[in-house]
Amino acid sequence: MTNIQTIAVIGAGTMGGGIAISALAGRFNAILIDASQDALEQAQLRVQKFFNRQVEKGHITPEQARDAQHRLQLSTDMATVSGADLVIEAVFEDIKIKTSVFSRLEKIVASDCHLATNTSALNVSAIGGALRRPERLCGLHFFSPAEINPAVEVVRSEATQESTIAAVLSVLEQCRKTPIECRDHSGFALNRFFCPYTNEAARCLDDGLGTPAQIDAVAKEAFGVPIGPFAVMNIVKPRINLAAIHNLAHLGPFYAPAPSLIACGDSDGSWPLDDAPEPLGKAAHDTIAKRLQGAVFLAVRQALAEQVAAPEAIDLGARKAFAFKTGPVAMMDAIGKDAVEERITLVS
């Protein structure tokens, strides 16, 4: 089935709500499911606010805004998704929870319904292990805020059928999203390097090289990004970022979470960020910049060796998902092999 008309989203949290808005903006019918009525009501307010803002900006008419909101159905009953053409799971990043959701879903949806998981780092094949027909499952990893960020990783497991990939690519095109196709490896194409980037920032903090705001200022200069890693973590929530990093820890010591990140994530806290941090000395500034780049370069080099994604896909994703001025592969090519090795040596 490539003629998708109704998209169901399981989970009305930050990501699920944003995905539902994206579906509505793409002129699909959307069903949003959550066990919490309060979460659904908050999501509905978010939908209203988004489309009202689009009207204020002159992007759509008031009639189009009303139409979009009328195409949204909210429910606490999973059975409501029975007529959906595509179901996207967006619950917490826990494989037991996700497999439980898909075990229930498979008993509800039609035989030709496509399934997707919004996991940021878990193995899609492992999640599909709960299904009798894992071939209709793929990964659709949206980036926060999902209603605005254009990048979506399209993750193909060894079992994923071509018709599912074709269907989700068609949906993303209609939603004006940029697909980043990749294989089913830990961290996929983008979190494989972005998690080490945020983790190395926390390690620099632990080593006393600077404050979160100072490290963010260095990162903005080193990668040409509008905000630094600590600010990004505050947006996505440090506990969620920590969960993604934990899912990469099996790759080796380099991927193990930094102590300060564990403390911040486990306490469900956020990073303190000064508006105007004191400038760092040149030595500390250069060390932070090289370590952050080294963490990105090491992870990207490993991902390329594993053929997780094409170099151009990694660079496109870095620019679209994280607003890097230059993708990491292009950065490595530009500074040369010796400079790349110098930076990787600092973190490995």
Side-chain angles (χ1 to χ4, degrees):
M1 177 190 296
T2 57
N3 184 26
I4 306 294
Q5 295 182 346
T6 300
I7 298 173
V9 182
I10 310 298
T14 300
M15 292 305 301
I19 295 169
I21 291 172
S22 294
L24 294 169
R27 300 193 62 78
F28 293 100
N29 300 317
I31 303 170
L32 189 55
I33 302 293
D34 200 283
S36 166
Q37 184 63 42
D38 181 63
L40 291 171
E41 290 172 1
Q42 290 300 314
Q44 186 172 33
L45 290 174
R46 182 176 165 194
V47 169
Q48 292 171 350
K49 183 177 179 180
F50 176 85
F51 286 105
N52 288 342
R53 183 64 178 144
Q54 294 299 102
V55 172
E56 291 172 7
K57 291 180 177 180
H59 295 164
I60 61 175
T61 66
E63 292 75 21
Q64 288 172 323
R66 285 193 293 270
D67 173 67
Q69 293 175 63
H70 288 158
R71 283 185 277 105
L72 174 65
Q73 182 178 359
L74 305 170
S75 180
T76 58
D77 184 1
M78 185 87 80
T80 309
V81 310
S82 61
D85 306 310
L86 167 65
V87 180
I88 304 172
E89 164 273 311
V91 301
F92 189 69
E93 195 77 341
D94 181 290
I95 194 162
K96 290 183 179 179
I97 298 174
K98 289 180 182 289
T99 53
S100 174
V101 167
F102 281 110
S103 293
R104 293 178 62 193
L105 274 175
E106 196 169 35
K107 299 179 179 72
I108 296 169
V109 299
S111 60
D112 58 352
C113 175
H114 299 288
L115 304 176
T117 172
N118 183 54
T119 181
S120 62
L122 293 173
N123 187 272
V124 175
S125 295
I127 296 171
L131 298 171
R132 295 189 300 274
R133 290 184 51 211
E135 67 273 11
R136 57 171 164 169
L137 175 70
C138 71
L140 276 185
H141 178 213
F142 289 74
F143 289 82
S144 188
E147 65 269 35
I148 297 171
N149 196 310
V152 181
E153 285 180 309
V154 179
V155 186
R156 183 193 305 259
S157 77
E158 292 184 1
T160 306
Q161 61 193 3
E162 289 301 322
S163 60
T164 292
I165 298 297
V168 298
L169 288 175
S170 176
V171 165
L172 294 178
E173 181 180 11
Q174 190 166 327
C175 293
R176 298 184 178 180
K177 297 294 187 181
T178 301
I180 309 297
E181 295 190 57
C182 55
R183 294 173 62 198
D184 188 19
H185 284 232
S186 297
F188 312 134
L190 304 184
N191 269 353
R192 178 63 178 268
F193 72 81
F194 197 76
C195 283
Y197 163 70
T198 59
N199 197 36
E200 192 62 32
R203 286 176 174 164
C204 288
L205 174 66
D206 291 342
D207 291 343
L209 293 174
T211 67
Q214 288 172 325
I215 295 167
D216 271 8
V218 175
K220 288 162 69 174
E221 181 181 322
F223 294 95
V225 290
I227 61 174
F230 289 103
V232 172
M233 286 190 277
N234 280 351
I235 292 171
V236 302
K237 305 298 182 187
R239 65 179 177 84
I240 294 175
N241 189 70
L242 176 62
I245 291 173
H246 273 311
N247 288 329
L248 299 180
H250 70 279
L251 295 172
F254 166 68
Y255 294 90
S260 61
L261 183 53
I262 294 173
C264 188
D266 284 349
S267 67
D268 199 16
S270 59
W271 301 104
L273 293 172
D274 302 327
D275 291 335
E278 289 290 327
L280 289 167
K282 186 177 187 305
H285 180 285
D286 290 352
T287 297
I288 292 169
K290 288 179 179 180
R291 282 179 55 170
L292 293 177
Q293 290 173 344
V296 170
F297 295 163
L298 174 56
V300 167
R301 191 167 70 175
Q302 291 176 348
L304 290 173
E306 296 164 13
Q307 298 183 321
V308 176
E312 54 272 22
I314 292 174
D315 278 1
L316 176 62
R319 296 195 306 271
K320 293 292 186 178
F322 308 128
F324 277 34
K325 183 177 181 181
T326 304
V329 180
M331 287 180 66
M332 289 191 286
D333 290 342
I335 67 174
K337 182 178 178 181
D338 290 345
V340 170
E341 291 298 333
E342 175 201 12
R343 286 156 173 76
I344 288 177
T345 300
L346 291 174
V347 299
S348 59

